[in-house]
Amino acid sequence: MIDVSRRSLLATGMFGAGALAIPGLASAQTVLAARGFTHSVASGEPGPDEVLLWTRYVPTSGDQVRLKVELSETPDFARVAGGGETITGPWRDWTSKITVTGLQPGRGYYYRFVAPDGTASPIGRTKTLPDDRASTFRAAIFSCSNIAFGFFNAYGHAAARDDLDLWIHLGDYFYEYANGTYPSLQDTVSNRLPQPASEIIHLADYRLRYASYRADPDLQALHARLPVIASWDDHESTNDSWEGGAQNHDPKAEGEWSIRKAASIQAWREWMPVSDEPWKAYDIGTLATLFRTDTRLSARSRPVELGDLLRAPDPARAMAQYRDNEWNDPASTMLGSQQEAWLYRGLKRSVAAGARWQIVGFGTIMGETSVPPETEGWLSTAKPATAMYLRAGIAAGKAGLPSNLDSWAGYPAARKRFLSAAQSADANLVVLCGDSHNAWAFDLAQDAPVGVEFAGHAVSSSGLESALTVDPASVARALVGASPELKWCDTSRRGYMAVTVTPERVSNDWLFVDTVKTRTPTAKVGHTATVRRGQRRMG
């Protein structure tokens, strides 16, 4: 771990952590000594003629600094293909972002930042989105990266590949909890405790947590290797967040939610290679349109927690009343009316423009799962919180409710509006999701097939296996049997997805790493699903 107290950090105003060549968190002596390019480089928000570049540079003076950026098609930078200058300083934690335009579509570039004294950052690689000539596009999909659970071997494996055009992060890039909360200290992998040790609430906390995560060498390698399109879910702010609050926020003890929410958004925009737009569409030639959304902080209605229903004097009656009333409230929303209108118009625009596929990324799963009653006999006492989650799912299933109300299943009217919009647009819909820590493949339907959903497993966060005593194959069979939309799942392994887009089909690989307990960036494909254009179901 980085052995620096938060008090000493605040006293110096130095909110960052890490250094360029950190082989692991345990080897960082102090964040206070970090000067120069402290966290390598990153890129994101690619277009056919532009890309956003990121770095962090702390001058010895501690004052503002002007940086120059250069792009080239060769690593020797013999001919500069684009660039610019940017100013950063303590007001944005010395992070720097600049969008470079005038680039060529589908082209790979090398880039670097140069400080006033002539020192250069590490050299990164990035790539613009293709034009209409593209026949194949491949992206890696990640979510749920809890550094204390283990090593980011999924990032390391993807960074070593040479067949990817992009990576997408669908949220829970980090976790907000105090060390020892999730995971427990017993389950924490040695030397993987992030800073600050306490739960992050204030801007300084969020900045330091980013700095701690971004010191990870495999995450740095992936950022330096490929551009990313990133969206947040809840843990970038705090657990089960929504427009007006969160499950893991106590206004009496932790202050106004609006202040914490604003701090989390500011740190996200400082430390991530992202634009300031809360949602955005990206045209991948005529192959596809990729939609980045926000299903958390912009307009999500307050979710109902199954635990609250179970604590009612008569749980069965409380669930039935919720099922027959609030559950189907048409005013309840994941996206908000503004984002819904943008997304629905975007689907129509994409189809009208001739894009072969419409790919939508969400933070939480759209497909519905039900926990079968026999799961009660499989529960372990080792992980009471996860076991309680599954017991709530069992009770919900008996009441005719889905197992997770924090997902799209808790907002059925909003889900119906989205699927109806996809049908109305005649979209070839592929939904990408994260959040659950486990791997899922759904056929999405509403009276007729609408599209497919590929839901990704965690980079490192634990899954349902931590609370179950039976083998994962039995769990998968039971879940698929109880859930009509669910066609396949894996509830026991970590890794990432890799989706390949061609004009006539989209295929998705679920890659599983060997372990997260040691740094071993190896992985293999454990399952592949394919959807053909026009079918709107896997096969």
Side-chain angles (χ1 to χ4, degrees):
M1 75 188 81
I2 301 174
D3 187 17
V4 173
S5 72
R6 181 170 174 270
R7 179 175 297 177
S8 65
L9 197 77
L10 294 176
T12 63
M14 170 66 178
F15 300 136
L20 175 59
I22 297 174
L25 293 180
S27 66
Q29 299 300 313
T30 173
V31 298
L32 304 181
R35 294 293 184 269
F37 293 101
T38 65
H39 285 78
S40 193
V41 294
S43 67
E45 301 293 336
D49 61 352
E50 66 181 25
V51 69
L52 183 151
L53 305 177
W54 179 98
T55 195
R56 183 172 185 271
Y57 182 84
V58 183
T60 55
S61 66
D63 200 356
Q64 74 174 37
V65 63
R66 180 186 298 269
L67 301 175
K68 182 171 69 171
V69 65
E70 299 173 338
L71 284 91
S72 176
E73 294 184 29
T74 59
D76 59 4
F77 290 85
R79 188 178 70 84
V80 175
E85 293 185 80
T86 179
I87 296 173
T88 187
W91 62 87
R92 56 173 302 109
D93 204 12
W94 290 281
T95 62
S96 181
K97 295 191 296 188
I98 182 171
T99 296
V100 179
T101 60
L103 306 178
Q104 296 300 310
R107 192 75 58 88
Y109 291 92
Y110 297 87
Y111 66 95
R112 66 186 178 190
F113 289 82
V114 182
D117 63 1
T119 58
S121 71
I123 295 174
R125 298 173 67 181
T126 191
K127 192 173 185 181
T128 53
L129 295 182
D131 59 16
D132 295 350
R133 294 170 290 181
S135 59
T136 303
F137 190 85
R138 184 173 288 114
I141 319 294
F142 301 87
S143 63
C144 305
S145 320
N146 190 317
I147 202 167
F149 266 113
F151 289 87
F152 291 162
N153 292 326
Y155 292 150
H157 184 269
R161 295 178 61 161
D162 60 5
D163 63 340
L164 296 172
D165 299 294
L166 177 74
W167 63 292
I168 298 169
H169 205 291
L170 292 172
D172 298 343
Y173 184 90
F174 68 31
Y175 285 70
E176 83 282 9
Y177 298 114
N179 289 340
T181 302
Y182 180 73
S184 66
L185 289 177
Q186 179 182 354
D187 292 331
T188 297
V189 171
S190 178
N191 297 323
R192 299 286 288 179
L193 287 174
Q195 291 292 319
S198 60
E199 182 178 338
I200 56 174
I201 298 171
H202 308 291
L203 178 59
D205 303 331
Y206 282 97
R207 285 170 163 174
L208 180 53
R209 188 61 60 91
Y210 276 109
S212 190
Y213 269 66
R214 291 289 295 274
D216 181 85
D218 293 309
L219 180 53
Q220 283 194 6
L222 185 56
H223 268 302
R225 178 65 180 84
L226 289 166
V228 64
I229 292 174
S231 55
W232 58 53
D233 192 30
D234 53 342
H235 291 290
E236 288 87 353
S237 53
T238 192
N239 186 57
D240 287 359
S241 52
W242 55 285
E243 180 185 17
Q247 177 274 330
N248 189 29
H249 181 76
D250 180 0
K252 294 181 180 178
E254 297 171 330
E256 292 183 20
W257 167 245
S258 61
I259 297 174
R260 184 176 187 177
K261 175 180 172 180
S264 70
I265 293 173
Q266 179 176 336
W268 163 268
R269 290 175 174 170
E270 291 171 348
W271 275 88
M272 295 293 289
V274 296
S275 69
D276 290 348
E277 300 140 298
W279 50 80
K280 189 174 179 179
Y282 308 81
D283 291 323
I284 305 172
T286 55
L287 281 177
T289 303
L290 172 64
F291 297 90
R292 169 171 62 81
T293 66
D294 172 19
T295 55
R296 279 291 173 191
L297 298 182
S298 293
R300 178 194 274 245
S301 303
R302 184 174 188 168
V304 171
E305 296 183 28
L306 284 175
D308 291 341
L309 299 177
L310 287 175
R311 286 187 287 272
D314 186 342
R317 182 180 180 183
M319 285 197 173
Q321 288 180 336
Y322 169 71
R323 179 199 63 213
D324 297 337
N325 295 284
E326 297 98 321
W327 185 42
N328 288 290
D329 185 354
S332 185
T333 178
M334 290 277 275
L335 299 168
S337 59
Q338 181 183 0
Q339 189 178 183
E340 282 188 6
W342 164 82
L343 180 56
Y344 302 165
R345 287 195 302 267
L347 292 172
K348 290 183 178 181
R349 179 196 64 80
S350 175
V351 172
R356 309 291 283 179
W357 299 94
Q358 288 68 47
I359 304 174
V360 184
F362 291 129
T364 52
I365 288 174
M366 177 160 284
E368 292 188 5
T369 56
S370 296
V371 181
E374 60 263 37
T375 307
E376 181 69 39
W378 302 344
L379 297 179
S380 167
T381 58
K383 303 296 178 188
T386 306
M388 185 180 300
Y389 169 83
L390 288 168
R391 286 194 178 95
I394 294 169
K398 293 178 180 178
L401 288 169
S403 61
N404 181 11
L405 299 181
D406 186 56
S407 71
W408 279 89
Y411 302 78
R415 175 189 141 113
K416 182 177 181 179
R417 289 195 296 270
F418 169 74
L419 294 178
S420 296
Q423 288 177 314
S424 176
D426 198 25
N428 281 276
L429 177 68
V430 175
V431 172
L432 303 174
C433 292
D435 180 62
S436 76
H437 306 178
N438 298 121
W440 317 86
F442 297 93
D443 280 339
L444 302 174
Q446 185 163 268
D447 300 324
V450 182
V452 302
E453 177 178 14
F454 303 139
H457 41 321
V459 170
S460 61
S461 302
S462 66
L464 295 181
E465 79 286 348
S466 64
L468 297 173
T469 59
V470 298
D471 69 284
S474 297
V475 175
R477 284 194 297 270
L479 288 170
V480 170
S483 310
E485 290 187 329
L486 180 62
K487 304 306 173 184
W488 171 87
C489 68
D490 180 280
T491 62
S492 65
R493 293 177 286 179
R494 313 282 80 81
Y496 69 104
M497 300 190 301
V499 62
T500 302
V501 184
T502 67
E504 296 305 319
R505 73 174 192 171
V506 173
S507 63
N508 187 69
D509 294 333
W510 284 265
L511 291 101
F512 299 108
V513 298
D514 294 342
T515 181
V516 297
K517 300 304 181 184
T518 60
R519 191 183 178 203
T520 309
T522 57
K524 58 181 177 293
V525 176
H527 185 73
T528 300
T530 298
V531 57
R532 297 187 180 277
R533 178 174 158 80
Q535 289 189 340
R536 298 179 175 86
R537 64 174 67 178
M538 287 173 282

